[in-house]
Amino acid sequence: MIRIQNYIGGRFCDAVDGSTLHLIDPATAEIVGTFPDSAQKEVEAAIGSAEDACAHWSASGPEYRSAWLYKLANAIEASLEAFAQAESSDSGKPLSVARTVDIPRAVANFRFFAGAILHDQSEAYVDRPSVLNYTLRQPLGVVGCISPWNLPLYLFSWKVAPALASGNCVVGKPSEVTPLTAFLLAKACADIGFPAGVLNIVHGTGPKAGAAIVAHPKVKAISFTGGTATGKIIAQVASESLKKVSLELGGKNPTIIFEDADLEAAATETIKAAFSNQGQICLCGSRILIQASVYDQIKSKLIDKARALTVGDPQDSSTDLGAIVSKAHFDKVLHHMEIAEKEGGQILTGGKKVSVSGRCKNGYFLAPTLIEGLPPTCSTNQDEIFGPVATLIPFETEKEAIEMANGTRYGLSASVWTKDLNRAHRVSSALSSGIVWVNCWMHRDLRTPFGGVKESGVGREGGLYALRFFTEAKNVCIKTS
Ligand code: NAD
């Protein structure tokens, strides 16, 4: 049994009253460990430790902080296999994905911001020879980083790394559904002697531990990734103390395939966009809009490719789709499949649980599911399902495609498939979303702005955007006589 502990002030500890929650492997439905059910007291202790550590960490130069982040990246990389095993058993994702995507990206996040902080610049404005304005970018102090379960270490480190690089001390709370790799991160910190109190990790539920971080007056900013409903609560609570907030929320992203696209490439990537990580990526393309003239062609390619995917034991190297992250989420996705049928959708493939034999016989597995025949405005095409479920919707004209693509409350990302460069620019500009990929999906450059519009969020992460979020700009105006 794994015993996860909080990491506060450089020390490992349990919840003050000893209460714990269960760690469950979704591929087997077995309890594999426990973690602290933290609340106000543990959060207070973590904030106190972060405050104590701040004076030194903030005042130390970027080279010092950069060197520590590189050391931490190296430590994760040195234990990549252990991290990958933990991420896979905690979340149900294929081990091959944790090995090649999740953990390498966490390493890259620390390295990227370790490098970025060395190259950060600020502005100077020379009014006349005697007047100089310049911008100081100072760390905020103690900041909160709250992350979801779908890409556990990948998204946790995406927040923690820029917060630390820019001189803040962090109280982090990973998702209670997948706390294991954040615990391994804490162990890596302890192993390399990372300065105590600079990074504190508190485990527990959102309404208890998470809410205590958000409400605390000494926490100057909250970087949050998770559901839109939670994001709204956080924005409301954070407004009481006028904290800065960065909110990366849900999506209902369109993949738009025009008749002039490379149809084979479009179909291959569309399947990846719909079903990677069991469809549990905020960027997944869950609404597939297809120009009517190529609808049947694309539809049959998508069905063939979805049926060729293997759902199975996350440990098995031939597995494409592992387990759904939890029983609660599995039930939610199944419920959405039922709603889709009630709304008149025809299931083209999937639409049901998958039984995996052996050690995974009790696990939470779902078949990749494609549905057609639903109007763009029905709940299946409006609500974020966050599972291996995508709908096919025909369109006639570019205008109609844009209207449908923009016709939800979300606006995170979109993929556009066309060989027409003019159309690519035109459609990209007209889409209400924070990210547009043309002839690709989820091609990431860590320098680019990352975030959504409408109910997909507020603010941008990535590169300088994250470093700006975690600092306060101060203008200094000097007049010489
Ligand atoms: P969630 O909102 O339930 O939980 C996210 C985190 O918030 C968890 O750590 C949780 O404990 C915490 N939390 C919950 N209630 C809280 C509260 N009242 N105060 C403070 N913290 C609280 O989301 P989830 O189910 O873990 O993740 C899935 C969602 O995340 C999906 O909607 C998905 O689209 C979204 N997501 C968005 C992005 C993005 O970059 N936009 C990336 C990944 C996931």
Side-chain angles (χ1 to χ4, degrees):
M1 289 283 277
I2 302 159
R3 179 173 159 231
I4 290 176
Q5 291 186 293
N6 289 333
Y7 180 62
I8 298 176
R11 283 198 296 274
F12 290 96
C13 46
D14 297 318
V16 174
D17 65 1
S19 56
T20 57
L21 296 165
H22 286 148
L23 189 68
I24 295 168
D25 179 340
T28 61
E30 277 168 15
I31 296 171
V32 292
T34 60
F35 60 95
D37 183 9
S38 311
Q40 188 72 32
K41 283 185 185 154
E42 295 76 12
V43 167
E44 289 279 358
I47 291 170
S49 294
E51 258 198 311
D52 292 346
C54 253
H56 180 255
W57 182 255
S58 304
S60 59
E63 294 83 3
Y64 175 83
R65 300 194 296 263
S66 169
W68 275 114
L69 295 189
Y70 276 124
K71 273 189 207 169
L72 193 49
N74 294 346
I76 300 168
E77 195 171 51
S79 302
L80 194 144
E81 185 57 23
F83 272 92
Q85 293 274 356
E87 203 69 294
S88 171
S89 82
D90 220 15
S91 66
K93 69 178 67 205
L95 177 58
S96 58
V97 174
R99 264 189 200 133
T100 55
V101 179
D102 289 74
I103 308 306
R105 173 59 192 274
V107 172
N109 288 340
F110 281 110
R111 288 211 176 115
F112 175 82
F113 285 105
I117 199 63
L118 297 178
H119 302 280
D120 197 23
Q121 298 176 344
S122 71
E123 312 86 47
Y125 307 87
V126 182
D127 183 349
R128 62 206 80 173
S130 61
V131 182
L132 169 69
N133 285 275
Y134 65 91
T135 310
L136 281 179
R137 295 200 182 271
Q138 295 175 315
L140 305 174
V142 180
V143 299
C145 295
I146 302 178
S147 56
W149 48 256
N150 63 323
L151 301 164
L153 191 64
Y154 174 136
L155 289 176
F156 191 58
S157 55
W158 183 231
K159 301 176 175 310
V160 166
L164 296 178
S166 45
N168 303 281
C169 289
V170 169
V171 177
K173 198 203 81 64
S175 169
E176 60 271 42
V177 184
T178 53
L180 188 49
T181 47
F183 176 55
L184 296 189
L185 177 69
K187 283 183 139 183
C189 286
D191 288 348
I192 62 170
F194 199 80
V198 170
L199 172 60
N200 304 275
I201 300 176
V202 178
H203 295 280
T205 66
K208 280 167 74 178
I213 298 171
V214 177
H216 204 289
K218 287 187 174 162
V219 174
K220 299 302 175 203
I222 296 291
S223 175
F224 169 78
T225 298
T228 294
T230 315
K232 287 181 183 178
I233 296 171
I234 287 178
Q236 216 169 5
V237 176
S239 73
E240 291 292 320
S241 48
L242 292 177
K243 285 181 181 35
K244 276 178 123 175
V245 286
S246 166
L247 303 173
E248 299 294 338
L249 309 178
K252 189 73 183 174
N253 312 304
T255 299
I256 310 172
I257 305 174
F258 287 99
E259 60 191 359
D260 68 329
D262 175 339
L263 300 187
E264 184 56 29
T268 301
E269 284 293 300
T270 297
I271 287 292
K272 258 170 61 186
F275 300 128
S276 289
N277 206 40
Q278 299 73 248
Q280 303 168 135
I281 303 181
C282 54
L283 306 166
C284 276
S286 53
R287 293 181 297 143
I288 306 169
L289 312 182
I290 307 165
Q291 197 147 27
S293 53
V294 292
Y295 184 86
D296 288 338
Q297 241 180 305
I298 288 284
K299 172 175 146 181
S300 77
K301 282 179 191 290
L302 293 179
I303 294 172
D304 290 348
K305 288 176 192 294
R307 287 189 180 148
L309 295 171
T310 305
V311 180
D313 186 338
Q315 299 269 331
D316 194 330
S317 59
S318 63
T319 291
D320 298 301
L321 274 76
I324 301 297
V325 75
S326 66
K327 172 80 167 68
H329 194 57
F330 173 81
D331 289 341
K332 181 189 147 187
V333 179
L334 268 179
H335 180 59
H336 276 287
M337 289 177 178
E338 284 163 18
I339 292 176
E341 284 196 279
K342 279 195 195 129
E343 288 180 324
Q346 288 104 56
I347 308 246
L348 300 170
T349 186
K352 55 181 188 306
K353 317 182 204 186
V354 174
S355 296
V356 175
S357 58
R359 73 172 199 110
C360 295
K361 63 181 189 307
N362 297 320
Y364 315 128
F365 296 88
L366 290 173
T369 300
L370 294 171
I371 306 171
E372 71 170 357
L374 287 166
T377 50
C378 71
S379 71
T380 304
N381 277 323
Q382 291 291 319
D383 296 340
E384 185 188 44
I385 298 173
F386 215 56
V389 181
T391 57
L392 277 57
I393 311 167
F395 68 86
E396 295 287 345
T397 63
E398 183 180 306
K399 183 169 174 288
E400 196 190 355
I402 292 167
E403 277 168 11
M404 280 187 198
N406 289 344
T408 74
R409 64 195 178 107
Y410 296 107
L412 186 55
S413 70
S415 281
V416 179
W417 289 85
T418 177
K419 285 185 189 152
D420 178 340
L421 190 58
N422 291 322
R423 168 178 277 157
H425 286 296
R426 207 167 48 231
V427 174
S428 299
S429 168
L431 288 171
S432 307
S433 66
I435 301 153
V436 180
W437 281 291
V438 178
N439 297 331
C440 60
W441 175 72
M442 214 172 147
H443 193 89
R444 294 283 292 116
D445 178 329
L446 304 190
R447 294 169 298 181
T448 59
F450 181 91
V453 301
K454 300 195 283 186
E455 295 202 15
S456 287
V458 176
R460 294 292 178 271
E461 296 187 315
L464 288 181
Y465 298 86
L467 296 179
R468 295 287 176 264
F469 174 74
F470 284 114
T471 50
E472 203 71 80
K474 179 190 285 176
N475 186 66
V476 179
C477 176
I478 300 184
K479 186 168 186 300
T480 54
S481 52

